[in-house]
Amino acid sequence: MSDLRELASFDFVGGTTAVCNAILRLRGEALTLELGRLAALLTGSPEGRFVPGAGLIDPNPPGARILRHAVAAGIEQFGWYEVSGGEGYCPETGRKLEALAHLTASLMQMHALAQRSTHAYAQMEAQLAHQSQILDQIHESVLTMDQMGYITSWNRGAEQLFGYTSLEAVGRNILFLYADEGDGGSGEDTQPDLFAEQGGRMMEVRRRKKSGEVFWASLSLSPLRDLAERPTGLIAYLTDITERKQAEEQLHHLAYYDELTGLPNRTLFARLVDQALAVSQRNETAGSVLFVDLNRFKRINDTLGRRIGDELLRQVAQRFKEALRDEDVVARLSGDEFAVGLSDIRQHFEATTVAQKLQASLDAPFFIAGHDLRVGASIGISVYPQDGNDAETLLGLADIAMERAKRAEANPDRSVAFYSQDMNKGMQERMRIESGLRHALGNGELILYYQPKFEIASGRIVGAEALVRWVHPQRGIVPPSEFIPLAETTGLIVQVGEWVLEQACAQAAIWQRSGISPFRLAVNVSAREFTPSLPSRVADTLRRYQLDPSWLELEITESTLMHDFERVTAIMDRITALGVSLSLDDFGTGYSSLSYLKRFPIQTLKIDRSFTTGIPRDASDCAIAGTIVSMARQLCLRVIAEGVETLDQLEFLREAGCDEVQGYLYAAPLPAYEFERCLRDNWLLIA
């Protein structure tokens, strides 16, 4: 009865509603059965079914007992309807089934589209949630902004970096993160038009956190585009690089600034001066470089120690800065050497005025750790463009001029010299000698001479001093006064000293094996050689030649003692422990403390020739020599006087109690074979 009532009330409108409900609510076999039932109701057929899937359908001949129609929309087929069991089907019934098939296909197509859209939306939501989680998990801060610079998104990394939450940041203009007005003022990350089309750029910027802290960040910008590839904003990636920037600044400072004074070093000085010279060239003005060398600094540094010396250099640097203009460049080159670059000066003599100001700035004493210290300065000047066109050239020429200024006899503290060509000639000669000396070391041009030392009491030879001579292939014997000072300043004295020690020990070993009675062979050791490695080198040399240590004596200068007392004493103790004796050369010319002298393991004092020359006519020289001998007696030290050339000098020293003498009075420095002949002949001092 219910089927009959439903059939009686079922029309196409009701069928439409029923099909729509079925497609929305049912799935699978239940939907198939329901659609078949509805097709039977609409056509008044005993049987009806819906067959899902695609396939060919036989045409329905008129009056057939089966009626079919495909359920398709466009090229997409969902299945077909089939009704049967009636006596025959008229065209009107066929049109009803066709209409039902079209309705069902449209509804199924819409439903499938809705399902795909819902699925796609769900996938998109899941993907966005996934990407959001990724952005929040990475340490880099990521934010987006529109074309006006207003923030549209803000990840967790940005919250941690800046301290602002997403609610606090989104909607605000990016400018509120800038460290100051000048930073980013060009709109580099708010105006994408200039670069967005090329894919973005990277930069280093300063930004401000919520706490007010300013930091350095690496900023990478990329364009944000819509579906039509039109730029709609920017994506910004920021990473804190403050530590790296600080490290870079420290490295830059170490590379270009003097650590002690904070002044530019030579490298930065050259760059700044070259830039200033370019300006002078455009303005057609002069420039100048001043090379400043402090007078008496080494004495202060050696006497009072490095700590006092360093503070003195800091205060000198400060006075120089105060004496100069803001546009002038002052640098510390090394040690007690400074350089000043002057630009945009109208006449070169203006540099003289600046030099005098620098010297005047040193007139007032420096009060450091209770000491009243005074230093002066000798200054050399080179001028652009007459002398050179770049900083290094001008600096080198100013150095040459400074050397000339330093030799001024009147007042080196007020001495200023300009560079000239005759100075360059002298420097070229010096370089020629230096090059020749380097060649001589490797080509057997150096030989040793031996100057006898005589004991005054017995008149016999008791020792000798090994003296190096340079036999030049063209010039013959080069005077030591020409190359020894040069070797000292260039550092070649270390190589020369090593060669002398080696050759002297080799010769002494020959004499030792030949049966000559032992005597002390003195070898001069420069302050540069007097390092902790010296005792080991001496020990190795003695062992290599199997030389008894009693044959060797090392002569050290008084200036050697002016450095670190504990270090010097430790080196001396190691040398004397080998059985090698020590002699203090040029005594009386330095500034060593007598209280220190008695603590050094020294056996002999040598009176410098500058004091023996005036004996006996000069009362001061006589007093100094006599005092040295008397003091040595009290300290139980032997005394030898060098440079003895007259009998009057010898007689004075004998009466004063001097132990030994050496000089041209009887023996000039001799080659090894002549010195050996003197030994074997028992050469005696003139009585």
Side-chain angles (χ1 to χ4, degrees):
M1 290 294 293
S2 61
D3 290 342
L4 292 175
R5 286 197 299 272
E6 185 177 8
L7 179 60
S9 64
F10 196 81
D11 57 12
F12 188 76
V13 175
T16 300
T17 303
V19 170
C20 182
N21 288 333
I23 291 174
L24 289 176
R25 292 184 297 103
L26 302 177
R27 297 288 181 273
E29 185 177 358
L31 176 61
T32 299
L33 293 174
E34 179 63 14
L35 290 178
R37 188 180 72 82
L38 294 176
L41 286 175
L42 184 63
T43 59
S45 299
E47 295 182 8
R49 64 180 183 139
F50 172 76
V51 181
L56 296 175
I57 301 176
D58 295 333
N60 299 312
R65 298 175 64 88
I66 297 177
L67 191 62
R68 300 187 184 92
H69 201 286
V71 179
I75 61 173
E76 188 174 9
Q77 182 177 341
F78 299 98
W80 66 85
Y81 280 118
E82 180 181 288
V83 293
S84 61
E87 293 298 328
Y89 295 102
C90 63
E92 179 65 23
T93 303
R95 286 194 291 273
K96 288 184 179 180
L97 186 62
E98 179 183 1
L100 179 64
H102 285 313
L103 173 63
T104 303
S106 297
L107 291 173
M108 283 187 167
Q109 188 179 48
M110 293 177 62
H111 183 65
L113 179 61
Q115 282 188 316
R116 287 196 297 270
S117 298
T118 302
H119 181 67
Y121 181 76
Q123 284 186 321
M124 185 179 296
E125 279 193 327
Q127 186 176 4
L128 289 174
H130 183 63
Q131 291 176 347
S132 179
Q133 290 179 23
I134 293 175
L135 288 177
D136 283 339
Q137 291 302 316
I138 64 175
H139 295 293
E140 191 175 44
S141 65
V142 182
L143 58 98
T144 59
M145 66 192 91
D146 63 18
Q147 289 181 295
M148 298 302 295
Y150 288 93
I151 298 171
T152 55
S153 70
W154 184 267
N155 79 331
R156 188 173 298 171
E159 291 183 353
Q160 294 173 348
L161 178 61
F162 288 96
Y164 292 100
T165 65
S166 178
L167 291 175
E168 292 174 310
V170 172
R172 298 181 67 176
N173 195 284
I174 193 70
L175 292 173
F176 87 100
L177 299 175
Y178 284 4
D180 50 60
E181 293 181 359
D183 183 37
S186 62
E188 76 268 19
D189 48 4
T190 60
Q191 298 295 330
D193 301 342
L194 301 177
F195 63 91
E197 294 300 329
Q198 285 73 43
R201 63 178 176 178
M202 295 186 66
M203 66 196 80
E204 293 179 354
V205 297
R206 294 170 69 244
R207 293 293 180 258
R208 188 184 302 278
K209 298 184 179 183
K210 184 177 181 180
S211 63
E213 176 189 350
V214 176
F215 67 98
W216 278 99
S218 172
L219 172 63
S220 174
L221 292 173
S222 299
L224 190 63
R225 303 178 187 276
D226 61 14
L227 295 177
E229 288 298 310
R230 293 187 300 265
T232 60
L234 293 172
I235 306 173
Y237 306 88
L238 293 103
T239 304
D240 191 338
I241 58 169
T242 303
E243 290 187 4
R244 195 201 79 195
K245 292 292 290 187
Q246 290 174 345
E248 288 176 354
E249 290 174 0
Q250 291 174 353
L251 289 174
H252 180 272
H253 195 275
L254 290 174
Y256 294 109
Y257 289 88
D258 173 53
E259 184 177 2
L260 178 64
T261 62
L263 296 178
N265 61 13
R266 188 185 187 105
T267 302
L268 182 56
F269 177 79
R271 290 189 179 185
L272 295 175
V273 170
D274 282 335
Q275 293 172 5
L277 292 180
V279 175
S280 295
Q281 184 180 25
R282 290 195 298 269
N283 297 339
E284 297 183 350
T285 56
S288 186
V289 169
L290 283 63
F291 196 105
V292 184
D293 186 85
L294 300 183
N295 300 326
R296 298 183 299 282
F297 172 77
K298 186 177 186 301
R299 183 185 306 173
I300 294 172
N301 194 58
D302 291 343
T303 305
L304 301 179
R306 183 174 178 178
R307 184 178 62 83
I308 301 295
D310 287 350
E311 179 58 29
L312 177 58
L313 289 174
R314 279 191 286 267
Q315 294 192 22
V316 167
Q318 183 60 35
R319 290 194 186 183
F320 282 172
K321 286 195 293 185
E322 293 172 354
L324 296 168
R325 303 173 300 177
D326 291 340
E327 59 266 33
D328 297 331
V329 181
V330 57
R332 181 184 176 218
L333 304 180
S334 64
D336 59 350
E337 295 175 342
F338 295 81
V340 175
L342 306 177
S343 60
D344 198 25
I345 57 177
R346 299 299 169 183
Q347 297 292 336
H348 72 272
F349 61 78
E350 294 179 20
T352 306
T353 304
V354 177
Q356 292 171 342
K357 287 179 63 178
L358 294 174
Q359 290 173 331
S361 71
L362 303 177
D363 287 344
F366 295 85
F367 297 100
I368 302 173
H371 298 281
D372 182 343
L373 306 177
R374 297 175 185 269
V375 293
S378 300
I379 301 177
I381 304 174
S382 60
V383 179
Y384 166 85
Q386 292 94 322
D387 297 331
N389 294 315
D390 62 88
E392 282 297 336
T393 300
L394 293 171
L395 192 59
L397 300 182
D399 188 7
I400 296 173
M402 184 278 297
E403 292 289 347
R404 182 178 182 182
K406 208 167 187 67
R407 291 195 296 269
E409 296 181 358
N411 184 3
D413 291 352
R414 283 291 184 268
S415 181
V416 178
F418 280 90
Y419 170 77
S420 62
Q421 289 301 320
D422 62 328
M423 285 186 279
N424 196 31
K425 292 178 182 177
M427 183 57 65
Q428 289 174 349
E429 173 65 14
R430 182 175 177 180
M431 293 174 64
R432 186 179 65 82
I433 294 175
E434 179 184 350
S435 176
L437 181 57
R438 293 183 186 276
H439 182 269
L441 278 165
N443 290 274
E445 296 178 13
L446 300 182
I447 63 172
L448 283 186
Y449 275 44
Y450 302 87
Q451 185 170 35
K453 294 181 179 181
F454 293 89
E455 186 178 58
I456 296 179
S458 65
R460 296 187 180 277
I461 296 176
V462 292
E465 181 178 0
L467 299 170
V468 64
R469 294 292 184 264
W470 178 7
V471 183
H472 195 278
Q474 283 81 40
R475 299 176 59 193
I477 294 183
V478 180
S481 59
E482 285 192 22
F483 70 89
I484 292 298
L486 179 63
E488 288 279 3
T489 57
T490 60
L492 282 173
I493 194 65
V494 174
Q495 294 172 257
V496 173
E498 291 176 352
W499 182 89
V500 170
L501 178 64
E502 189 79 16
Q503 296 301 313
C505 289
Q507 182 61 60
I510 294 173
W511 288 330
Q512 178 182 257
R513 290 194 297 271
S514 67
I516 292 178
S517 299
F519 63 89
R520 298 190 312 278
L521 181 57
V523 174
N524 289 285
V525 177
S526 70
R528 286 178 177 263
E529 293 180 86
F530 206 78
T531 64
S533 64
L534 178 62
S536 299
R537 182 157 60 86
V538 171
D540 290 343
T541 307
L542 293 173
R543 183 167 52 253
R544 192 162 53 252
Y545 292 105
Q546 298 182 351
L547 180 65
D548 191 287
S550 62
W551 281 78
L552 184 61
E553 179 181 68
L554 300 184
E555 288 191 3
I556 59 177
T557 60
E558 197 171 354
S559 61
T560 304
L561 309 180
M562 302 293 290
H563 301 287
D564 187 348
F565 171 78
E566 299 296 336
R567 184 184 67 87
V568 170
T569 304
I571 296 173
M572 287 179 152
D573 288 339
R574 290 174 59 195
I575 292 174
T576 55
L578 298 173
V580 176
S581 59
L582 291 173
S583 173
L584 187 58
D585 196 7
D586 300 337
F587 184 73
T589 62
Y591 304 91
S592 62
S593 170
L594 295 181
S595 62
Y596 281 176
L597 183 60
K598 67 181 181 180
R599 297 168 59 184
F600 289 126
I602 296 172
Q603 289 78 42
T604 306
L605 294 182
K606 177 179 279 191
I607 301 176
D608 186 67
R609 68 177 62 249
S610 63
F611 301 124
T612 58
T613 300
I615 296 174
R617 298 181 307 277
D618 191 298
S620 297
D621 287 347
C622 291
I624 292 173
T627 301
I628 292 175
V629 173
S630 175
M631 181 183 63
R633 291 290 186 191
Q634 295 178 13
L635 296 174
C636 299
L637 301 176
R638 291 181 65 82
V639 182
I640 180 171
E642 65 177 356
V644 178
E645 298 180 355
T646 68
L647 290 174
D648 290 340
Q649 291 171 347
L650 175 62
E651 187 58 32
F652 175 86
L653 293 168
R654 186 199 308 273
E655 292 180 0
C658 184
D659 298 293
E660 302 172 18
V661 292
Q662 69 180 97
Y664 281 80
L665 173 63
Y666 199 78
L670 303 170
Y673 68 91
E674 289 190 25
F675 178 76
E676 182 178 345
R677 181 174 58 81
C678 295
L679 282 172
R680 294 187 183 279
D681 291 347
N682 293 318
W683 217 7
L684 298 177
L685 182 68
I686 296 176

Short mmCIF file of all heavy atoms in Angstrom, two decimals, residues 571-604:
data_model
loop_
_atom_site.label_atom_id
_atom_site.label_comp_id
_atom_site.label_asym_id
_atom_site.label_seq_id
_atom_site.Cartn_x
_atom_site.Cartn_y
_atom_site.Cartn_z
N ILE A 571 120.44 33.98 31.12
CA ILE A 571 121.25 33.61 29.96
C ILE A 571 122.73 33.57 30.35
O ILE A 571 123.47 32.65 29.97
CB ILE A 571 121.02 34.61 28.81
CG1 ILE A 571 119.56 34.53 28.34
CG2 ILE A 571 121.97 34.33 27.65
CD1 ILE A 571 119.19 35.60 27.32
N MET A 572 123.18 34.59 31.11
CA MET A 572 124.58 34.63 31.55
C MET A 572 124.94 33.41 32.39
O MET A 572 126.01 32.81 32.22
CB MET A 572 124.83 35.91 32.36
CG MET A 572 124.88 37.18 31.54
SD MET A 572 125.14 38.60 32.61
CE MET A 572 125.99 39.70 31.50
N ASP A 573 124.06 33.05 33.30
CA ASP A 573 124.34 31.90 34.17
C ASP A 573 124.49 30.62 33.36
O ASP A 573 125.35 29.77 33.66
CB ASP A 573 123.21 31.74 35.20
CG ASP A 573 123.24 32.83 36.26
OD1 ASP A 573 124.30 33.45 36.45
OD2 ASP A 573 122.19 33.07 36.90
N ARG A 574 123.68 30.46 32.34
CA ARG A 574 123.77 29.26 31.50
C ARG A 574 125.08 29.24 30.72
O ARG A 574 125.66 28.17 30.48
CB ARG A 574 122.59 29.20 30.55
CG ARG A 574 121.25 28.92 31.22
CD ARG A 574 120.11 29.03 30.23
NE ARG A 574 120.28 28.10 29.11
CZ ARG A 574 119.60 28.20 27.97
NH1 ARG A 574 118.73 29.18 27.79
NH2 ARG A 574 119.81 27.31 27.00
N ILE A 575 125.56 30.42 30.31
CA ILE A 575 126.83 30.48 29.56
C ILE A 575 128.01 30.16 30.46
O ILE A 575 128.88 29.35 30.12
CB ILE A 575 126.99 31.88 28.91
CG1 ILE A 575 125.94 32.07 27.81
CG2 ILE A 575 128.40 32.04 28.34
CD1 ILE A 575 125.91 33.45 27.21
N THR A 576 128.05 30.79 31.65
CA THR A 576 129.17 30.54 32.56
C THR A 576 129.16 29.10 33.08
O THR A 576 130.21 28.55 33.41
CB THR A 576 129.14 31.52 33.74
OG1 THR A 576 127.85 31.45 34.39
CG2 THR A 576 129.36 32.94 33.26
N ALA A 577 127.97 28.48 33.14
CA ALA A 577 127.89 27.08 33.56
C ALA A 577 128.59 26.17 32.56
O ALA A 577 129.02 25.05 32.92
CB ALA A 577 126.43 26.67 33.72
N LEU A 578 128.75 26.63 31.33
CA LEU A 578 129.47 25.85 30.32
C LEU A 578 130.98 25.92 30.51
O LEU A 578 131.71 25.13 29.90
CB LEU A 578 129.12 26.36 28.91
CG LEU A 578 127.66 26.27 28.47
CD1 LEU A 578 127.47 26.98 27.12
CD2 LEU A 578 127.23 24.80 28.35
N GLY A 579 131.44 26.88 31.34
CA GLY A 579 132.88 27.10 31.51
C GLY A 579 133.40 28.23 30.64
O GLY A 579 134.60 28.47 30.58
N VAL A 580 132.49 28.93 29.95
CA VAL A 580 132.85 30.07 29.10
C VAL A 580 132.83 31.33 29.95
O VAL A 580 131.90 31.54 30.74
CB VAL A 580 131.87 30.20 27.92
CG1 VAL A 580 132.18 31.44 27.08
CG2 VAL A 580 131.93 28.94 27.05
N SER A 581 133.85 32.18 29.81
CA SER A 581 133.91 33.42 30.60
C SER A 581 133.20 34.55 29.86
O SER A 581 133.01 34.51 28.63
CB SER A 581 135.36 33.81 30.88
OG SER A 581 136.06 33.98 29.66
N LEU A 582 132.80 35.58 30.62
CA LEU A 582 132.08 36.73 30.09
C LEU A 582 132.86 38.00 30.37
O LEU A 582 133.41 38.19 31.46
CB LEU A 582 130.69 36.84 30.70
CG LEU A 582 129.67 35.76 30.31
CD1 LEU A 582 128.41 35.92 31.14
CD2 LEU A 582 129.33 35.84 28.83
N SER A 583 132.89 38.88 29.38
CA SER A 583 133.54 40.17 29.52
C SER A 583 132.55 41.25 29.13
O SER A 583 131.77 41.08 28.19
CB SER A 583 134.77 40.23 28.61
OG SER A 583 135.33 41.54 28.61
N LEU A 584 132.58 42.37 29.87
CA LEU A 584 131.68 43.49 29.59
C LEU A 584 132.43 44.52 28.76
O LEU A 584 133.37 45.17 29.24
CB LEU A 584 131.16 44.10 30.88
CG LEU A 584 130.08 45.18 30.75
CD1 LEU A 584 128.87 44.62 30.01
CD2 LEU A 584 129.66 45.70 32.10
N ASP A 585 132.02 44.66 27.49
CA ASP A 585 132.71 45.53 26.54
C ASP A 585 132.20 46.96 26.67
O ASP A 585 131.08 47.21 27.10
CB ASP A 585 132.47 45.00 25.13
CG ASP A 585 133.43 45.60 24.12
OD1 ASP A 585 134.37 46.31 24.54
OD2 ASP A 585 133.24 45.35 22.92
N ASP A 586 133.05 47.92 26.25
CA ASP A 586 132.67 49.35 26.19
C ASP A 586 132.15 49.86 27.52
O ASP A 586 131.22 50.67 27.56
CB ASP A 586 131.61 49.57 25.11
CG ASP A 586 132.10 49.16 23.73
OD1 ASP A 586 133.32 49.13 23.55
OD2 ASP A 586 131.26 48.86 22.86
N PHE A 587 132.73 49.39 28.62
CA PHE A 587 132.20 49.80 29.92
C PHE A 587 132.41 51.30 30.13
O PHE A 587 133.45 51.87 29.80
CB PHE A 587 132.89 49.03 31.05
CG PHE A 587 132.31 49.33 32.41
CD1 PHE A 587 131.06 48.84 32.76
CD2 PHE A 587 132.98 50.15 33.31
CE1 PHE A 587 130.51 49.13 33.99
CE2 PHE A 587 132.44 50.44 34.54
CZ PHE A 587 131.21 49.92 34.89
N GLY A 588 131.40 51.94 30.72
CA GLY A 588 131.45 53.37 30.99
C GLY A 588 130.68 54.20 30.00
O GLY A 588 130.44 55.38 30.24
N THR A 589 130.27 53.60 28.87
CA THR A 589 129.52 54.36 27.85
C THR A 589 128.02 54.23 28.01
O THR A 589 127.26 54.96 27.39
CB THR A 589 129.90 53.90 26.44
OG1 THR A 589 129.56 52.52 26.30
CG2 THR A 589 131.40 54.06 26.21
N GLY A 590 127.58 53.26 28.81
CA GLY A 590 126.14 53.00 28.96
C GLY A 590 125.60 53.58 30.24
O GLY A 590 126.17 54.49 30.84
N TYR A 591 124.47 52.96 30.69
CA TYR A 591 123.77 53.50 31.84
C TYR A 591 123.39 52.40 32.82
O TYR A 591 122.41 52.51 33.54
CB TYR A 591 122.50 54.24 31.38
CG TYR A 591 122.79 55.31 30.37
CD1 TYR A 591 122.77 55.03 29.00
CD2 TYR A 591 123.10 56.60 30.77
CE1 TYR A 591 123.05 56.01 28.07
CE2 TYR A 591 123.38 57.59 29.84
CZ TYR A 591 123.35 57.30 28.50
OH TYR A 591 123.62 58.26 27.59
N SER A 592 124.16 51.34 32.83
CA SER A 592 123.80 50.23 33.71
C SER A 592 124.03 50.61 35.17
O SER A 592 124.92 51.39 35.50
CB SER A 592 124.61 48.98 33.36
OG SER A 592 125.98 49.23 33.54
N SER A 593 123.23 50.04 36.02
CA SER A 593 123.34 50.30 37.45
C SER A 593 124.48 49.48 38.04
O SER A 593 124.64 48.30 37.75
CB SER A 593 122.02 49.93 38.14
OG SER A 593 122.18 49.95 39.54
N LEU A 594 125.30 50.13 38.86
CA LEU A 594 126.42 49.41 39.48
C LEU A 594 125.92 48.35 40.44
O LEU A 594 126.58 47.32 40.65
CB LEU A 594 127.32 50.41 40.21
CG LEU A 594 128.03 51.43 39.31
CD1 LEU A 594 128.91 52.35 40.15
CD2 LEU A 594 128.87 50.73 38.26
N SER A 595 124.73 48.57 41.01
CA SER A 595 124.18 47.56 41.92
C SER A 595 123.82 46.29 41.15
O SER A 595 123.91 45.19 41.69
CB SER A 595 122.94 48.11 42.62
OG SER A 595 121.92 48.42 41.68
N TYR A 596 123.42 46.46 39.88
CA TYR A 596 123.18 45.29 39.03
C TYR A 596 124.49 44.64 38.63
O TYR A 596 124.58 43.42 38.52
CB TYR A 596 122.40 45.69 37.78
CG TYR A 596 120.91 45.88 37.99
CD1 TYR A 596 120.10 46.32 36.96
CD2 TYR A 596 120.33 45.62 39.23
CE1 TYR A 596 118.73 46.50 37.14
CE2 TYR A 596 118.97 45.78 39.42
CZ TYR A 596 118.17 46.24 38.38
OH TYR A 596 116.83 46.39 38.57
N LEU A 597 125.50 45.49 38.36
CA LEU A 597 126.76 44.98 37.82
C LEU A 597 127.36 43.90 38.72
O LEU A 597 127.87 42.89 38.24
CB LEU A 597 127.74 46.14 37.65
CG LEU A 597 129.10 45.79 37.03
CD1 LEU A 597 128.91 45.20 35.65
CD2 LEU A 597 129.98 47.03 36.98
N LYS A 598 127.31 44.10 40.03
CA LYS A 598 127.93 43.13 40.93
C LYS A 598 127.16 41.82 40.98
O LYS A 598 127.68 40.82 41.47
CB LYS A 598 128.04 43.72 42.33
CG LYS A 598 126.69 43.96 43.02
CD LYS A 598 126.90 44.57 44.41
CE LYS A 598 125.56 44.79 45.12
NZ LYS A 598 125.74 45.38 46.46
N ARG A 599 125.95 41.82 40.42
CA ARG A 599 125.14 40.59 40.44
C ARG A 599 125.28 39.80 39.15
O ARG A 599 124.79 38.69 39.06
CB ARG A 599 123.68 40.95 40.68
CG ARG A 599 123.45 41.62 42.04
CD ARG A 599 122.07 42.24 42.15
NE ARG A 599 120.99 41.27 41.98
CZ ARG A 599 119.70 41.59 41.96
NH1 ARG A 599 119.35 42.87 42.08
NH2 ARG A 599 118.79 40.66 41.80
N PHE A 600 125.93 40.40 38.13
CA PHE A 600 126.13 39.67 36.88
C PHE A 600 127.38 38.80 36.97
O PHE A 600 128.40 39.22 37.53
CB PHE A 600 126.29 40.65 35.70
CG PHE A 600 125.02 41.35 35.31
CD1 PHE A 600 124.97 42.73 35.23
CD2 PHE A 600 123.89 40.62 35.00
CE1 PHE A 600 123.81 43.37 34.85
CE2 PHE A 600 122.71 41.26 34.62
CZ PHE A 600 122.67 42.63 34.56
N PRO A 601 127.38 37.59 36.40
CA PRO A 601 128.54 36.68 36.45
C PRO A 601 129.59 37.07 35.41
O PRO A 601 129.86 36.33 34.45
CB PRO A 601 127.91 35.32 36.15
CG PRO A 601 126.74 35.62 35.29
CD PRO A 601 126.20 36.94 35.77
N ILE A 602 130.18 38.25 35.59
CA ILE A 602 131.17 38.77 34.64
C ILE A 602 132.55 38.66 35.27
O ILE A 602 132.74 38.92 36.47
CB ILE A 602 130.84 40.23 34.28
CG1 ILE A 602 129.50 40.30 33.55
CG2 ILE A 602 131.94 40.86 33.44
CD1 ILE A 602 129.00 41.70 33.33
N GLN A 603 133.56 38.31 34.44
CA GLN A 603 134.93 38.18 34.94
C GLN A 603 135.80 39.39 34.60
O GLN A 603 136.79 39.67 35.29
CB GLN A 603 135.60 36.92 34.35
CG GLN A 603 135.07 35.60 34.90
CD GLN A 603 133.74 35.21 34.28
OE1 GLN A 603 133.54 35.35 33.08
NE2 GLN A 603 132.82 34.74 35.10
N THR A 604 135.44 40.12 33.52
CA THR A 604 136.33 41.18 33.03
C THR A 604 135.52 42.40 32.60
O THR A 604 134.44 42.27 32.02
CB THR A 604 137.15 40.69 31.82
OG1 THR A 604 137.83 39.49 32.17
CG2 THR A 604 138.16 41.74 31.38
#
